[in-house]
Amino acid sequence: MRLQIAAANWKMNATLEEAKSLLSKLAEFDSSTLPNHHKVIVSVPFPYLMLAKEYLGKKHGFMVAAQNCYNQPKGAFTGEVSALMLSSINVDAVLIGHSERREYFSESNEMLAQKVNIALENELTPVFCCGEPLSIREANTQNEYVAKQLKESLYHLSPEQLMQVVIAYEPIWAIGTGRTASDEQAQEMHAFIRAELAKQYGQELANEISILYGGSVKGSNSIGLFSQPDVDGGLVGGASLNADEFIQIIQSLS
Ligand code: PEP
């Protein structure tokens, strides 16, 4: 049974005090009854990673993630953070290719392929983000656009490596805009992604990959989205900054 995942992305938000308050509320949530195929990933800014591990590291079903890592192993890259550094502090996962990284930091599909590799080499679960801008959706070429992102950043992986990857489909027009993809739009793209993976790696493997939806997921729409057959949970930005709402989203995993 493939994993159903609620992933928080705090982005560049929260002071230390706010981070402590959010983490302690998540720590208080009784996760002992989460089934084994339900997981929670909490992606926090770099300065709070060790704190997040302290609060959530031993919590059933919880994983802590970074929001980025560099594509080189070490060296003279002032200001960057390596995958090895993340794994050395027991971080579990890392977001790769969030649309904000692609847009504001010019991260190409090729660079993201390197980041996926280095994350896997360091035993971090890559949460690989893909998704189209509004202009592509309006031209109805979103399938080709997402297929290219998958091909150029993931298809060099062996089947064993791909099995370690979580995919997050995040239509850019739905991120932080309050405009969510409809349940049907999400399902349609997730089924397309799974079919593409099946063409490349076979249906059996494609059936095992978790594909999360991201883009204005809230407590009020998560049940509808997560109940779609190919939607395996969500990557949640804004709503994950409210512990009660994020817990509601966790509880709507199907
Ligand atoms: C995100 O940060 O990946 C995201 C989907 O943000 P939001 O939920 O705020 O749209």
Side-chain angles (χ1 to χ4, degrees):
M1 183 180 276
R2 62 177 175 258
L3 297 177
Q4 305 293 305
I5 302 170
N9 176 17
W10 291 9
K11 311 195 191 201
M12 196 178 73
N13 288 300
T15 60
L16 177 60
E17 285 317 305
E18 288 163 346
K20 280 184 181 166
S21 156
L22 249 171
L23 289 168
S24 65
K25 285 181 192 155
L26 292 178
E28 278 163 25
F29 164 63
D30 178 8
S31 66
S32 63
T33 55
L34 283 183
N36 285 338
H37 70 288
H38 285 186
K39 300 284 175 214
V40 180
I41 300 179
V42 183
S43 318
V44 303
F46 291 128
Y48 309 140
L49 281 167
M50 290 178 73
L51 191 70
K53 283 301 291 188
E54 272 171 41
Y55 277 89
L56 307 175
K58 295 201 171 68
K59 202 168 172 60
H60 172 72
F62 273 63
M63 295 163 72
V64 170
Q67 299 172 11
N68 181 34
C69 67
Y70 200 47
N71 63 337
Q72 300 298 323
K74 63 188 284 196
F77 302 105
T78 302
E80 290 296 337
V81 172
S82 73
L84 177 62
M85 291 173 190
L86 299 177
S87 68
S88 75
I89 57 166
N90 299 317
V91 165
D92 307 290
V94 58
L95 305 186
I96 304 278
H98 190 282
S99 62
E100 288 149 18
R101 301 289 321 167
R102 292 174 185 264
E103 183 178 352
Y104 306 134
F105 303 95
S106 306
E107 296 195 356
S108 64
N109 289 343
E110 187 192 6
M111 177 189 237
L112 298 176
Q114 295 166 347
K115 290 193 177 197
V116 169
N117 291 347
I118 211 153
L120 288 170
E121 280 161 24
N122 288 282
E123 291 174 13
L124 298 164
T125 299
V127 179
F128 176 77
C129 305
C130 57
E132 79 286 354
L134 184 59
S135 57
I136 295 289
R137 174 61 65 162
E138 284 174 345
N140 199 26
T141 53
Q142 63 273 10
N143 287 3
E144 294 84 337
Y145 188 91
V146 170
K148 188 169 187 287
Q149 291 179 319
L150 298 174
K151 176 171 181 262
E152 294 184 359
S153 298
L154 294 182
Y155 288 178
H156 63 286
L157 298 176
S158 68
E160 294 70 30
Q161 287 174 314
L162 189 81
M163 284 289 288
Q164 310 305 315
V165 176
V166 171
I167 294 177
Y169 166 63
E170 300 204 297
I172 298 170
W173 45 272
I175 299 180
T177 59
R179 182 180 166 188
T180 318
S182 67
D183 298 348
E184 295 72 26
Q185 282 172 320
Q187 168 55 25
E188 198 178 1
M189 178 55 89
H190 284 228
F192 171 75
I193 292 173
R194 203 176 304 287
E196 286 294 295
L197 296 176
K199 272 199 254 166
Q200 189 68 19
Y201 289 95
Q203 192 66 53
E204 207 179 322
L205 189 146
N207 287 344
E208 292 302 313
I209 305 287
S210 300
I211 308 174
L212 316 185
Y213 166 79
S216 300
V217 174
K218 305 183 208 63
S220 56
N221 60 22
S222 52
I223 292 183
L225 286 161
F226 298 175
S227 60
Q228 300 303 308
D230 287 290
V231 177
D232 306 313
L235 178 53
V236 186
S240 72
L241 295 169
N242 178 318
D244 291 335
E245 186 163 12
F246 185 58
I247 288 167
Q248 196 186 339
I249 292 169
I250 298 170
Q251 289 169 326
S252 53
L253 288 172
S254 56

